[in-house]
Amino acid sequence: MASDALQQVIAGMRSGSGPDFGGDLEQARQDFDTLLATLPVEGEFAFDAMNFGGVPALHCQTGPAHAGALIYLHGGAFVSGSAQGYRGLAANIGKAAGLVTYALDYRLAPEHPFPAAIDDVLVAYRVLLNSGMKPDRIAIAGDSAGGGLSLASLVKIRDEGLPLPAAGYLLSPWADMTCSAETMASKAAVDPALDQAGLKVAAGLYLSGTAADNPLASPIYADLSGLPPLLVQVGSAEILLGDSLAIAAGAGAAGTHVQLEVWPEMVHVWQAFAFMLDEGQSSINAAGRFLRARLGGDR
Amino acid sequence: MASDALQQVIAGMRSGSGPDFGGDLEQARQDFDTLLATLPVEGEFAFDAMNFGGVPALHCQTGPAHAGALIYLHGGAFVSGSAQGYRGLAANIGKAAGLVTYALDYRLAPEHPFPAAIDDVLVAYRVLLNSGMKPDRIAIAGDSAGGGLSLASLVKIRDEGLPLPAAGYLLSPWADMTCSAETMASKAAVDPALDQAGLKVAAGLYLSGTAADNPLASPIYADLSGLPPLLVQVGSAEILLGDSLAIAAGAGAAGTHVQLEVWPEMVHVWQAFAFMLDEGQSSINAAGRFLRARLGGDR
């Protein structure tokens, strides 16, 4: 069933010495960065280092300045990954949405555990607002840990009484630090990227003593009412499928507009392989249409 | 929060003497038909009575003959409703998708209990195929009981080894005759259209002794693998929200492409009020885009 391209992606995930967060963390981070560095970035994008009130970011002019901003939050289980490693995916999404891309380097655990990452997103968001950017011209997106972080940040923005951004886009979000979804077991055999034990180690480093069901650490336990429209994309071959189902159930029941897309056979954050995988670019294009419809205006 | 138009729809649902399937059934059917007759039908549509191998239907030329066909299955809890009553909604969807609309009058319970309705859909589908219509030019859609019936029919088409249609579109589907979703209670106060007790009466008439968790009577319990892409739209103010969540979870985990949209504040089959409710037409337009993308070709 799986296309040649998908088989290649899966084989790469299975053979790659994926990061082992239970071992030497610096080594795991290097392994992950090395893996990310193998992903080609389309040549047309130029990236500039900048910062939002001290929070480092990569900027890419993927849309006209007046169109609006995409805040992108990378994956890496809250303990690894970087804007640099995910710059190609972030810019691909920004371009599809017609927005300027800002990929944040939020602080990582264990040096900076929960809620440091959320605090950094809020700082960046406030700086954008203070710069005159209209909230209805801002979208927040992220993959994996960055997807859960996107959702937690939206909850925090609501709780702080700040004006809400126009939309959220969550790619294979990790939004439950208890790692207790039924799909942790039912999808274990078909998920080439993640396993429950590894996630639990990373969750422990991120939580650093905070309860795993804290609603900002694990936003599937948060009140998800009053949030902007959410697009959630997840593959059917993911142990994290359950996190996306829980987000759709919780946000939907709470009266937040949510669009959940489950993509057959797809694996964790398959959109990062858009350069070789048709479904990757199709998913990003669908997200681009979703975001353009919510952000409106001339772009 | 609710717009004036939505408040009008809700007030109409609450004040209307909704069908009481526990009382006199003929009276309930008449009440429901009277209710449906109050929905204006856009003047541009012309409807012709026809039949598929004995299964009556209303035909409407909402798209060019070569484009393809939309089989529409009306709501009414399997015991009431008609193609005539739902012709406006069916044609609105057919037009948005650019397909010729065929609204079926499948047989109703209790005179014709499960699986008569499914048998009728299969007869119509076979006649369409035998007429030379390509399966990848056919979509099946339905609301409420017709949404569950659409899903059950897709399962049956797969089980019979027939070629699959290109897509399914389920509006506020009722797909669980056990009526045991958690939202039966949690959304009872805000759902102006349906209540669990009424659904259970209708389920009993439809089942006529069949187990309520029979996978074709209640397709949330079916193997949902190998089905065409599904779009599921449900409102956040529906006791049937849980049925849609279960379909998304089951189909998604089984590797069927599923797009679930939960629309805030919307009530049971709000798309039927597209003539007065912006969200109704927006939802149908979104479904039109989904169906056009799956059916492809020149239309």
Side-chain angles (χ1 to χ4, degrees), chain A residues 166-214:
Chain A
Y169 168 35
L170 319 181
L171 301 76
S172 300
W174 183 29
D176 179 10
M177 297 300 117
T178 73
C179 305
S180 57
E182 182 263 334
T183 52
M184 288 281 157
S186 64
K187 295 294 183 183
V190 296
D191 187 330
L194 298 176
D195 65 87
Q196 187 183 31
L199 287 178
K200 282 194 166 177
V201 170
L205 296 174
Y206 179 56
L207 291 166
S208 183
T210 298
D213 63 353
N214 177 295

mmCIF file of all heavy atoms in Angstrom, chain A residues 166-214:
data_model
loop_
_atom_site.group_PDB
_atom_site.id
_atom_site.type_symbol
_atom_site.label_atom_id
_atom_site.label_comp_id
_atom_site.label_asym_id
_atom_site.label_seq_id
_atom_site.Cartn_x
_atom_site.Cartn_y
_atom_site.Cartn_z
ATOM 1 N N ALA A 166 -5.590 34.385 14.984
ATOM 2 C CA ALA A 166 -6.691 34.021 14.101
ATOM 3 C C ALA A 166 -6.881 32.525 13.976
ATOM 4 O O ALA A 166 -7.992 32.064 13.649
ATOM 5 C CB ALA A 166 -6.460 34.623 12.714
ATOM 6 N N ALA A 167 -5.830 31.755 14.212
ATOM 7 C CA ALA A 167 -5.935 30.307 13.975
ATOM 8 C C ALA A 167 -4.750 29.581 14.589
ATOM 9 O O ALA A 167 -3.697 30.178 14.851
ATOM 10 C CB ALA A 167 -5.984 30.014 12.477
ATOM 11 N N GLY A 168 -4.940 28.286 14.808
ATOM 12 C CA GLY A 168 -3.863 27.401 15.224
ATOM 13 C C GLY A 168 -3.787 26.206 14.290
ATOM 14 O O GLY A 168 -4.819 25.748 13.778
ATOM 15 N N TYR A 169 -2.575 25.737 14.032
ATOM 16 C CA TYR A 169 -2.360 24.589 13.141
ATOM 17 C C TYR A 169 -1.410 23.641 13.847
ATOM 18 O O TYR A 169 -0.258 23.979 14.099
ATOM 19 C CB TYR A 169 -1.809 25.081 11.803
ATOM 20 C CG TYR A 169 -1.274 24.022 10.860
ATOM 21 C CD1 TYR A 169 -1.852 22.747 10.769
ATOM 22 C CD2 TYR A 169 -0.187 24.292 10.021
ATOM 23 C CE1 TYR A 169 -1.359 21.782 9.893
ATOM 24 C CE2 TYR A 169 0.309 23.349 9.128
ATOM 25 C CZ TYR A 169 -0.276 22.094 9.075
ATOM 26 O OH TYR A 169 0.215 21.140 8.207
ATOM 27 N N LEU A 170 -1.919 22.465 14.202
ATOM 28 C CA LEU A 170 -1.158 21.497 14.988
ATOM 29 C C LEU A 170 -0.845 20.274 14.133
ATOM 30 O O LEU A 170 -1.746 19.616 13.622
ATOM 31 C CB LEU A 170 -1.963 21.069 16.220
ATOM 32 C CG LEU A 170 -2.733 22.167 16.975
ATOM 33 C CD1 LEU A 170 -3.468 21.569 18.185
ATOM 34 C CD2 LEU A 170 -1.813 23.295 17.413
ATOM 35 N N LEU A 171 0.441 19.978 13.973
ATOM 36 C CA LEU A 171 0.890 18.833 13.178
ATOM 37 C C LEU A 171 1.313 17.719 14.136
ATOM 38 O O LEU A 171 2.248 17.907 14.931
ATOM 39 C CB LEU A 171 2.083 19.200 12.293
ATOM 40 C CG LEU A 171 1.953 20.328 11.270
ATOM 41 C CD1 LEU A 171 2.002 21.712 11.934
ATOM 42 C CD2 LEU A 171 3.045 20.239 10.208
ATOM 43 N N SER A 172 0.630 16.594 14.104
ATOM 44 C CA SER A 172 0.962 15.458 14.969
ATOM 45 C C SER A 172 1.248 15.903 16.400
ATOM 46 O O SER A 172 2.293 15.578 16.967
ATOM 47 C CB SER A 172 2.193 14.710 14.424
ATOM 48 O OG SER A 172 1.969 14.216 13.128
ATOM 49 N N PRO A 173 0.333 16.677 17.003
ATOM 50 C CA PRO A 173 0.665 17.278 18.299
ATOM 51 C C PRO A 173 0.837 16.253 19.415
ATOM 52 O O PRO A 173 0.130 15.249 19.471
ATOM 53 C CB PRO A 173 -0.553 18.176 18.581
ATOM 54 C CG PRO A 173 -1.673 17.575 17.805
ATOM 55 C CD PRO A 173 -1.018 17.052 16.538
ATOM 56 N N TRP A 174 1.801 16.562 20.300
ATOM 57 C CA TRP A 174 1.980 15.821 21.553
ATOM 58 C C TRP A 174 1.432 16.715 22.655
ATOM 59 O O TRP A 174 2.029 17.729 22.981
ATOM 60 C CB TRP A 174 3.455 15.523 21.785
ATOM 61 C CG TRP A 174 3.722 14.704 23.018
ATOM 62 C CD1 TRP A 174 2.893 13.788 23.600
ATOM 63 C CD2 TRP A 174 4.908 14.729 23.825
ATOM 64 N NE1 TRP A 174 3.480 13.227 24.710
ATOM 65 C CE2 TRP A 174 4.725 13.783 24.881
ATOM 66 C CE3 TRP A 174 6.109 15.433 23.762
ATOM 67 C CZ2 TRP A 174 5.689 13.547 25.854
ATOM 68 C CZ3 TRP A 174 7.085 15.200 24.737
ATOM 69 C CH2 TRP A 174 6.872 14.258 25.763
ATOM 70 N N ALA A 175 0.296 16.325 23.189
ATOM 71 C CA ALA A 175 -0.433 17.224 24.089
ATOM 72 C C ALA A 175 -0.834 16.535 25.372
ATOM 73 O O ALA A 175 -1.685 17.025 26.104
ATOM 74 C CB ALA A 175 -1.670 17.783 23.380
ATOM 75 N N ASP A 176 -0.208 15.392 25.665
ATOM 76 C CA ASP A 176 -0.557 14.634 26.872
ATOM 77 C C ASP A 176 0.715 14.027 27.471
ATOM 78 O O ASP A 176 1.194 12.990 27.005
ATOM 79 C CB ASP A 176 -1.573 13.540 26.523
ATOM 80 C CG ASP A 176 -1.938 12.703 27.741
ATOM 81 O OD1 ASP A 176 -1.562 13.087 28.870
ATOM 82 O OD2 ASP A 176 -2.590 11.659 27.564
ATOM 83 N N MET A 177 1.231 14.678 28.508
ATOM 84 C CA MET A 177 2.476 14.222 29.139
ATOM 85 C C MET A 177 2.274 12.946 29.965
ATOM 86 O O MET A 177 3.256 12.348 30.416
ATOM 87 C CB MET A 177 3.081 15.327 30.026
ATOM 88 C CG MET A 177 3.484 16.580 29.279
ATOM 89 S SD MET A 177 4.723 16.298 27.994
ATOM 90 C CE MET A 177 3.800 16.780 26.525
ATOM 91 N N THR A 178 1.007 12.529 30.171
ATOM 92 C CA THR A 178 0.798 11.241 30.842
ATOM 93 C C THR A 178 1.052 10.086 29.878
ATOM 94 O O THR A 178 1.180 8.934 30.308
ATOM 95 C CB THR A 178 -0.633 11.104 31.405
ATOM 96 O OG1 THR A 178 -1.558 10.893 30.337
ATOM 97 C CG2 THR A 178 -1.051 12.330 32.207
ATOM 98 N N CYS A 179 1.092 10.386 28.592
ATOM 99 C CA CYS A 179 1.373 9.368 27.568
ATOM 100 C C CYS A 179 0.451 8.151 27.736
ATOM 101 O O CYS A 179 0.918 7.007 27.686
ATOM 102 C CB CYS A 179 2.836 8.921 27.621
ATOM 103 S SG CYS A 179 4.017 10.271 27.499
ATOM 104 N N SER A 180 -0.828 8.412 27.935
ATOM 105 C CA SER A 180 -1.744 7.323 28.270
ATOM 106 C C SER A 180 -2.792 7.046 27.203
ATOM 107 O O SER A 180 -3.719 6.270 27.442
ATOM 108 C CB SER A 180 -2.429 7.636 29.603
ATOM 109 O OG SER A 180 -3.104 8.872 29.529
ATOM 110 N N ALA A 181 -2.669 7.655 26.024
ATOM 111 C CA ALA A 181 -3.658 7.394 24.975
ATOM 112 C C ALA A 181 -3.649 5.911 24.604
ATOM 113 O O ALA A 181 -2.604 5.259 24.639
ATOM 114 C CB ALA A 181 -3.364 8.242 23.739
ATOM 115 N N GLU A 182 -4.823 5.423 24.245
ATOM 116 C CA GLU A 182 -4.960 4.007 23.859
ATOM 117 C C GLU A 182 -4.065 3.696 22.653
ATOM 118 O O GLU A 182 -3.563 2.580 22.510
ATOM 119 C CB GLU A 182 -6.436 3.736 23.549
ATOM 120 C CG GLU A 182 -6.773 2.295 23.186
ATOM 121 C CD GLU A 182 -6.829 2.090 21.697
ATOM 122 O OE1 GLU A 182 -7.099 3.081 20.974
ATOM 123 O OE2 GLU A 182 -6.593 0.954 21.248
ATOM 124 N N THR A 183 -3.843 4.694 21.795
ATOM 125 C CA THR A 183 -3.019 4.473 20.605
ATOM 126 C C THR A 183 -1.532 4.327 20.927
ATOM 127 O O THR A 183 -0.755 3.932 20.052
ATOM 128 C CB THR A 183 -3.211 5.612 19.584
ATOM 129 O OG1 THR A 183 -3.013 6.869 20.244
ATOM 130 C CG2 THR A 183 -4.615 5.569 18.994
ATOM 131 N N MET A 184 -1.125 4.644 22.156
ATOM 132 C CA MET A 184 0.269 4.373 22.557
ATOM 133 C C MET A 184 0.582 2.885 22.393
ATOM 134 O O MET A 184 1.691 2.516 22.022
ATOM 135 C CB MET A 184 0.478 4.780 24.025
ATOM 136 C CG MET A 184 0.508 6.266 24.249
ATOM 137 S SD MET A 184 2.108 6.997 23.813
ATOM 138 C CE MET A 184 1.609 8.692 23.514
ATOM 139 N N ALA A 185 -0.427 2.052 22.681
ATOM 140 C CA ALA A 185 -0.238 0.603 22.516
ATOM 141 C C ALA A 185 -0.685 0.151 21.125
ATOM 142 O O ALA A 185 0.030 -0.564 20.421
ATOM 143 C CB ALA A 185 -1.015 -0.154 23.587
ATOM 144 N N SER A 186 -1.879 0.608 20.692
ATOM 145 C CA SER A 186 -2.462 0.045 19.465
ATOM 146 C C SER A 186 -1.670 0.425 18.222
ATOM 147 O O SER A 186 -1.753 -0.263 17.203
ATOM 148 C CB SER A 186 -3.928 0.489 19.326
ATOM 149 O OG SER A 186 -4.024 1.893 19.159
ATOM 150 N N LYS A 187 -0.909 1.509 18.267
ATOM 151 C CA LYS A 187 -0.141 1.948 17.104
ATOM 152 C C LYS A 187 1.370 1.743 17.287
ATOM 153 O O LYS A 187 2.159 2.181 16.436
ATOM 154 C CB LYS A 187 -0.438 3.425 16.812
ATOM 155 C CG LYS A 187 -1.876 3.701 16.389
ATOM 156 C CD LYS A 187 -2.177 3.056 15.030
ATOM 157 C CE LYS A 187 -3.586 3.378 14.552
ATOM 158 N NZ LYS A 187 -3.887 2.694 13.262
ATOM 159 N N ALA A 188 1.754 1.097 18.377
ATOM 160 C CA ALA A 188 3.186 0.948 18.666
ATOM 161 C C ALA A 188 3.915 0.216 17.542
ATOM 162 O O ALA A 188 5.028 0.577 17.157
ATOM 163 C CB ALA A 188 3.379 0.218 19.995
ATOM 164 N N ALA A 189 3.279 -0.801 16.997
ATOM 165 C CA ALA A 189 3.962 -1.627 15.995
ATOM 166 C C ALA A 189 4.140 -0.894 14.663
ATOM 167 O O ALA A 189 5.062 -1.212 13.915
ATOM 168 C CB ALA A 189 3.180 -2.922 15.777
ATOM 169 N N VAL A 190 3.268 0.049 14.361
ATOM 170 C CA VAL A 190 3.325 0.698 13.042
ATOM 171 C C VAL A 190 3.963 2.078 13.077
ATOM 172 O O VAL A 190 4.181 2.683 12.029
ATOM 173 C CB VAL A 190 1.917 0.809 12.404
ATOM 174 C CG1 VAL A 190 1.354 -0.586 12.122
ATOM 175 C CG2 VAL A 190 0.961 1.626 13.271
ATOM 176 N N ASP A 191 4.267 2.595 14.267
ATOM 177 C CA ASP A 191 4.870 3.926 14.369
ATOM 178 C C ASP A 191 6.379 3.786 14.290
ATOM 179 O O ASP A 191 7.002 3.269 15.216
ATOM 180 C CB ASP A 191 4.450 4.598 15.676
ATOM 181 C CG ASP A 191 4.900 6.053 15.757
ATOM 182 O OD1 ASP A 191 5.949 6.396 15.167
ATOM 183 O OD2 ASP A 191 4.188 6.849 16.393
ATOM 184 N N PRO A 192 7.001 4.261 13.200
ATOM 185 C CA PRO A 192 8.448 4.089 13.059
ATOM 186 C C PRO A 192 9.248 5.173 13.775
ATOM 187 O O PRO A 192 10.480 5.087 13.832
ATOM 188 C CB PRO A 192 8.659 4.196 11.546
ATOM 189 C CG PRO A 192 7.580 5.120 11.091
ATOM 190 C CD PRO A 192 6.397 4.902 12.013
ATOM 191 N N ALA A 193 8.555 6.191 14.318
ATOM 192 C CA ALA A 193 9.281 7.361 14.818
ATOM 193 C C ALA A 193 9.373 7.423 16.332
ATOM 194 O O ALA A 193 10.393 7.825 16.882
ATOM 195 C CB ALA A 193 8.613 8.642 14.297
ATOM 196 N N LEU A 194 8.309 7.050 17.023
ATOM 197 C CA LEU A 194 8.238 7.316 18.458
ATOM 198 C C LEU A 194 7.877 6.061 19.232
ATOM 199 O O LEU A 194 7.267 5.140 18.688
ATOM 200 C CB LEU A 194 7.168 8.387 18.749
ATOM 201 C CG LEU A 194 7.389 9.779 18.141
ATOM 202 C CD1 LEU A 194 6.192 10.677 18.435
ATOM 203 C CD2 LEU A 194 8.671 10.414 18.661
ATOM 204 N N ASP A 195 8.255 6.044 20.521
ATOM 205 C CA ASP A 195 7.751 5.002 21.409
ATOM 206 C C ASP A 195 7.416 5.629 22.747
ATOM 207 O O ASP A 195 7.949 6.670 23.120
ATOM 208 C CB ASP A 195 8.753 3.853 21.549
ATOM 209 C CG ASP A 195 10.024 4.293 22.228
ATOM 210 O OD1 ASP A 195 10.084 4.262 23.467
ATOM 211 O OD2 ASP A 195 10.957 4.702 21.500
ATOM 212 N N GLN A 196 6.497 4.955 23.441
ATOM 213 C CA GLN A 196 5.968 5.500 24.687
ATOM 214 C C GLN A 196 7.063 5.713 25.724
ATOM 215 O O GLN A 196 7.069 6.740 26.425
ATOM 216 C CB GLN A 196 4.899 4.541 25.236
ATOM 217 C CG GLN A 196 4.145 5.059 26.440
ATOM 218 C CD GLN A 196 3.155 4.032 26.965
ATOM 219 O OE1 GLN A 196 3.377 2.827 26.857
ATOM 220 N NE2 GLN A 196 2.042 4.496 27.511
ATOM 221 N N ALA A 197 8.010 4.778 25.816
ATOM 222 C CA ALA A 197 9.051 4.885 26.847
ATOM 223 C C ALA A 197 9.888 6.142 26.635
ATOM 224 O O ALA A 197 10.182 6.880 27.594
ATOM 225 C CB ALA A 197 9.932 3.636 26.827
ATOM 226 N N GLY A 198 10.261 6.399 25.374
ATOM 227 C CA GLY A 198 11.059 7.588 25.081
ATOM 228 C C GLY A 198 10.306 8.863 25.396
ATOM 229 O O GLY A 198 10.873 9.823 25.952
ATOM 230 N N LEU A 199 9.016 8.880 25.053
ATOM 231 C CA LEU A 199 8.208 10.071 25.342
ATOM 232 C C LEU A 199 8.108 10.308 26.851
ATOM 233 O O LEU A 199 8.147 11.449 27.310
ATOM 234 C CB LEU A 199 6.803 9.924 24.745
ATOM 235 C CG LEU A 199 6.703 10.064 23.220
ATOM 236 C CD1 LEU A 199 5.258 9.847 22.768
ATOM 237 C CD2 LEU A 199 7.201 11.437 22.753
ATOM 238 N N LYS A 200 7.997 9.215 27.607
ATOM 239 C CA LYS A 200 7.852 9.380 29.062
ATOM 240 C C LYS A 200 9.120 9.967 29.678
ATOM 241 O O LYS A 200 9.037 10.766 30.614
ATOM 242 C CB LYS A 200 7.499 8.034 29.712
ATOM 243 C CG LYS A 200 6.024 7.678 29.526
ATOM 244 C CD LYS A 200 5.593 6.548 30.450
ATOM 245 C CE LYS A 200 4.071 6.454 30.497
ATOM 246 N NZ LYS A 200 3.590 5.325 31.313
ATOM 247 N N VAL A 201 10.276 9.570 29.156
ATOM 248 C CA VAL A 201 11.524 10.154 29.652
ATOM 249 C C VAL A 201 11.539 11.656 29.380
ATOM 250 O O VAL A 201 11.818 12.466 30.276
ATOM 251 C CB VAL A 201 12.744 9.480 28.994
ATOM 252 C CG1 VAL A 201 14.017 10.244 29.316
ATOM 253 C CG2 VAL A 201 12.847 8.022 29.436
ATOM 254 N N ALA A 202 11.209 12.021 28.143
ATOM 255 C CA ALA A 202 11.209 13.442 27.784
ATOM 256 C C ALA A 202 10.169 14.204 28.602
ATOM 257 O O ALA A 202 10.422 15.331 29.053
ATOM 258 C CB ALA A 202 10.937 13.596 26.286
ATOM 259 N N ALA A 203 9.000 13.583 28.809
ATOM 260 C CA ALA A 203 7.954 14.238 29.600
ATOM 261 C C ALA A 203 8.452 14.526 31.013
ATOM 262 O O ALA A 203 8.202 15.603 31.573
ATOM 263 C CB ALA A 203 6.697 13.371 29.637
ATOM 264 N N GLY A 204 9.179 13.561 31.584
ATOM 265 C CA GLY A 204 9.717 13.763 32.922
ATOM 266 C C GLY A 204 10.676 14.939 32.988
ATOM 267 O O GLY A 204 10.651 15.738 33.940
ATOM 268 N N LEU A 205 11.516 15.076 31.960
ATOM 269 C CA LEU A 205 12.462 16.192 31.919
ATOM 270 C C LEU A 205 11.720 17.523 31.771
ATOM 271 O O LEU A 205 12.096 18.528 32.389
ATOM 272 C CB LEU A 205 13.443 16.009 30.758
ATOM 273 C CG LEU A 205 14.361 14.780 30.842
ATOM 274 C CD1 LEU A 205 15.175 14.624 29.561
ATOM 275 C CD2 LEU A 205 15.295 14.892 32.051
ATOM 276 N N TYR A 206 10.694 17.530 30.945
ATOM 277 C CA TYR A 206 9.927 18.763 30.721
ATOM 278 C C TYR A 206 9.146 19.135 31.975
ATOM 279 O O TYR A 206 9.122 20.293 32.397
ATOM 280 C CB TYR A 206 8.984 18.566 29.537
ATOM 281 C CG TYR A 206 8.110 19.763 29.210
ATOM 282 C CD1 TYR A 206 8.663 21.017 28.949
ATOM 283 C CD2 TYR A 206 6.721 19.632 29.122
ATOM 284 C CE1 TYR A 206 7.865 22.106 28.617
ATOM 285 C CE2 TYR A 206 5.913 20.702 28.791
ATOM 286 C CZ TYR A 206 6.488 21.947 28.550
ATOM 287 O OH TYR A 206 5.685 23.020 28.222
ATOM 288 N N LEU A 207 8.491 18.151 32.591
ATOM 289 C CA LEU A 207 7.618 18.420 33.735
ATOM 290 C C LEU A 207 8.428 18.822 34.973
ATOM 291 O O LEU A 207 8.022 19.704 35.731
ATOM 292 C CB LEU A 207 6.772 17.180 34.059
ATOM 293 C CG LEU A 207 5.714 16.820 33.017
ATOM 294 C CD1 LEU A 207 5.183 15.412 33.258
ATOM 295 C CD2 LEU A 207 4.569 17.842 33.047
ATOM 296 N N SER A 208 9.543 18.154 35.178
ATOM 297 C CA SER A 208 10.412 18.476 36.310
ATOM 298 C C SER A 208 9.611 18.621 37.598
ATOM 299 O O SER A 208 9.763 19.598 38.342
ATOM 300 C CB SER A 208 11.197 19.759 36.017
ATOM 301 O OG SER A 208 12.096 20.048 37.057
ATOM 302 N N GLY A 209 8.719 17.663 37.839
ATOM 303 C CA GLY A 209 7.964 17.669 39.081
ATOM 304 C C GLY A 209 6.529 18.160 38.954
ATOM 305 O O GLY A 209 5.692 17.879 39.808
ATOM 306 N N THR A 210 6.241 18.899 37.887
ATOM 307 C CA THR A 210 4.852 19.324 37.646
ATOM 308 C C THR A 210 4.005 18.086 37.338
ATOM 309 O O THR A 210 4.480 17.145 36.714
ATOM 310 C CB THR A 210 4.801 20.303 36.455
ATOM 311 O OG1 THR A 210 5.556 21.467 36.783
ATOM 312 C CG2 THR A 210 3.371 20.685 36.104
ATOM 313 N N ALA A 211 2.754 18.091 37.766
ATOM 314 C CA ALA A 211 1.867 16.959 37.487
ATOM 315 C C ALA A 211 1.697 16.782 35.981
ATOM 316 O O ALA A 211 1.550 17.766 35.247
ATOM 317 C CB ALA A 211 0.501 17.184 38.131
ATOM 318 N N ALA A 212 1.725 15.522 35.549
ATOM 319 C CA ALA A 212 1.666 15.243 34.114
ATOM 320 C C ALA A 212 0.336 15.679 33.505
ATOM 321 O O ALA A 212 0.253 15.906 32.296
ATOM 322 C CB ALA A 212 1.898 13.758 33.853
ATOM 323 N N ASP A 213 -0.702 15.784 34.311
ATOM 324 C CA ASP A 213 -1.987 16.219 33.766
ATOM 325 C C ASP A 213 -2.255 17.698 34.025
ATOM 326 O O ASP A 213 -3.397 18.151 33.916
ATOM 327 C CB ASP A 213 -3.120 15.346 34.312
ATOM 328 C CG ASP A 213 -3.275 15.454 35.818
ATOM 329 O OD1 ASP A 213 -2.416 16.110 36.460
ATOM 330 O OD2 ASP A 213 -4.252 14.898 36.346
ATOM 331 N N ASN A 214 -1.207 18.443 34.336
ATOM 332 C CA ASN A 214 -1.347 19.898 34.411
ATOM 333 C C ASN A 214 -1.888 20.407 33.078
ATOM 334 O O ASN A 214 -1.357 20.060 32.024
ATOM 335 C CB ASN A 214 0.023 20.515 34.712
ATOM 336 C CG ASN A 214 -0.010 22.040 34.725
ATOM 337 O OD1 ASN A 214 -0.252 22.673 33.706
ATOM 338 N ND2 ASN A 214 0.226 22.623 35.886
#
